[in-house]
Amino acid sequence: MLCVVGMPGSGKNEFVEVGKKFGYSIIVMGDVVRDETLRRGLPLEMHGAVAERLREEYGNAAVAKLVSPHIIDDRTTIVDGVRGWSEVEEFRLHFDVTIVGIVCSTLTRYERLKVRGREGDPKTFEEFEERDFRELGFGLGDVLALADYYIENERTLEEFRKACEDFFEKNGRKKAGE
Amino acid sequence: MLCVVGMPGSGKNEFVEVGKKFGYSIIVMGDVVRDETLRRGLPLEMHGAVAERLREEYGNAAVAKLVSPHIIDDRTTIVDGVRGWSEVEEFRLHFDVTIVGIVCSTLTRYERLKVRGREGDPKTFEEFEERDFRELGFGLGDVLALADYYIENERTLEEFRKACEDFFEKNGRKKAGE
């Protein structure tokens, strides 16, 4: 399975979109936590607290343990949302894991997020930095440093898409329909 | 000043070599610690213990504090050896800091280090992983995740050198002699 990692605004989503075209199923770790939140009868907004509780109960790999049963065929699955090395180790107990790191400079990520303005996206550089450090607090930097492939996303969307397609052509399944 | 960061075997040294040709001075943080070790009348092998003692005494940015007085012109200096975000913050108090992250897949880094076989280079994958995690333990992953530029070093040495030259041509001083 592919674990795609990158800092906020790096372009993970676009990688995932290209992956779909190549026939991959996507599992967003946060969605699994959100489902678990509802299953526990709690409001969706509490998913952060639920993730925290899960880690207290089952250790740092807790979310990966929760996600693993959802992976039907690891050869055709992209997991989005790995944040720490313990999660990678948990997945490696069961699956063949390839880490894909999407890298993009801090300034470009900030400018993209400002333009995107999705809910939860930072409005100021301070908010942006705060969010970066929140992500890094779980160990995302370690996973990014230990990636098996890197794709840079510094230039245009078209160039990045092309680089993602190259990756899937070399390493993954054929595009759907081929 | 440029802070070049990368995991062991990523190709930091080659970036530094290209930088020299463009007129940059290089400060290796480990060398400054080694000088401090001798200044304290201790054998060189104790430089690890000295760095640790420095951090206990002056906090996580201790080595950066020790290095700062050695930087004469930040516009023409490359610092090699930053390992944690506190060091970047310390440098930013005094200098204009640009972080250059050299990224290279785990497998390629391992194969390169095995071939290189320099003293201290790992002989087995276990030794290699141990060293990776030692570096990450200081927070290198965070600095790598927050870089201002990324240069990938996955293909040939020639291609990587070319990418470094492109970086210096766009962002740095002219090549010595030009």
Side-chain angles (χ1 to χ4, degrees), chain A residues 5 11 23-24 28 38 53 76 83 92 96 102 109 113 115-116 124 126 133 138 157-158 160 163 166:
Chain A
V5 291
Y24 278 80
V28 179
L38 296 177
R53 173 62 63 86
T76 57
R83 278 166 150 180
R92 285 212 165 136
D96 187 15
I102 313 294
R109 291 191 296 106
L113 288 183
V115 171
R116 183 170 81 175
T124 64
E126 285 66 35
F133 283 108
F138 295 103
L157 184 56
E158 285 61 41
F160 181 59
D166 285 351

Side-chain angles (χ1 to χ4, degrees), chain B residues 123-142:
Chain B
K123 277 161 204 72
T124 63
F125 193 74
E126 285 67 34
E127 274 178 49
F128 167 76
E129 272 203 310
E130 228 174 79
R131 188 171 163 197
D132 272 4
F133 282 108
R134 210 160 51 231
E135 295 283 327
L136 292 172
F138 295 102
L140 180 59
D142 295 355

Side-chain angles (χ1 to χ4, degrees), chain B residues 50-106:
Chain B
V50 168
E52 209 173 301
R53 172 62 63 87
L54 282 166
R55 284 190 203 98
E56 276 163 25
E57 286 172 8
Y58 305 101
N60 284 335
V63 180
K65 284 180 210 263
L66 193 67
V67 164
S68 288
H70 294 269
I71 295 164
I72 296 161
D73 183 352
D74 66 339
R75 291 165 307 169
T76 57
T77 301
I78 299 175
V79 171
D80 177 1
V82 163
R83 278 165 150 180
W85 193 251
S86 332
E87 294 174 331
V88 174
E89 284 179 330
E90 174 66 28
F91 285 136
R92 287 212 164 136
L93 295 177
H94 315 287
F95 310 112
D96 186 15
V97 177
T98 298
I99 305 167
V100 181
I102 313 293
V103 290
C104 173
S105 74
T106 301

Side-chain angles (χ1 to χ4, degrees), chain A:
Chain A
M1 79 197 211
L2 303 176
C3 287
V4 59
V5 291
M7 294 293 285
S10 58
K12 272 190 310 159
N13 287 350
E14 200 51 45
F15 175 85
V16 162
E17 287 309 314
V18 176
K20 283 182 189 167
K21 283 191 210 147
F22 279 81
Y24 278 80
S25 313
I26 318 301
I27 293 190
V28 179
M29 291 176 76
D31 287 349
V32 178
V33 174
R34 278 180 278 269
D35 288 349
E36 176 68 14
T37 306
L38 296 177
R39 207 190 57 79
R40 291 185 177 202
L42 297 167
L44 259 189
E45 307 85 78
M46 288 191 70
H47 71 271
V50 168
E52 210 174 299
R53 173 62 63 86
L54 281 166
R55 284 190 202 99
E56 276 163 24
E57 284 172 9
Y58 304 102
N60 285 335
V63 180
K65 284 180 209 264
L66 193 67
V67 164
S68 288
H70 293 269
I71 295 164
I72 296 160
D73 182 353
D74 65 339
R75 291 165 308 170
T76 57
T77 301
I78 300 175
V79 171
D80 178 0
V82 163
R83 278 166 150 180
W85 193 252
S86 331
E87 293 174 331
V88 174
E89 283 180 330
E90 174 66 28
F91 284 137
R92 285 212 165 136
L93 296 176
H94 314 288
F95 310 113
D96 187 15
V97 177
T98 298
I99 305 167
V100 181
I102 313 294
V103 290
C104 174
S105 75
T106 301
L107 187 63
T108 306
R109 291 191 296 106
Y110 174 58
E111 285 176 344
R112 281 195 193 133
L113 288 183
K114 242 188 5 191
V115 171
R116 183 170 81 175
R118 203 158 74 180
E119 207 187 313
D121 281 345
K123 275 160 207 71
T124 64
F125 193 73
E126 285 66 35
E127 273 179 49
F128 167 76
E129 273 203 309
E130 226 174 80
R131 187 170 163 199
D132 272 4
F133 283 108
R134 210 159 51 231
E135 295 282 325
L136 292 172
F138 295 103
L140 180 59
D142 296 354
V143 186
L144 197 58
L146 297 171
D148 300 303
Y149 288 90
Y150 288 96
I151 307 178
E152 213 189 304
N153 183 11
E154 201 60 42
R155 283 173 284 186
T156 67
L157 184 56
E158 285 61 41
E159 281 173 279
F160 181 59
R161 274 190 193 139
K162 177 74 179 57
C164 294
E165 282 173 7
D166 285 351
F167 168 83
F168 284 106
E169 262 153 31
K170 274 186 212 135
N171 303 287
R173 284 155 49 95
K174 286 274 159 222
K175 218 165 181 169
E178 275 181 323

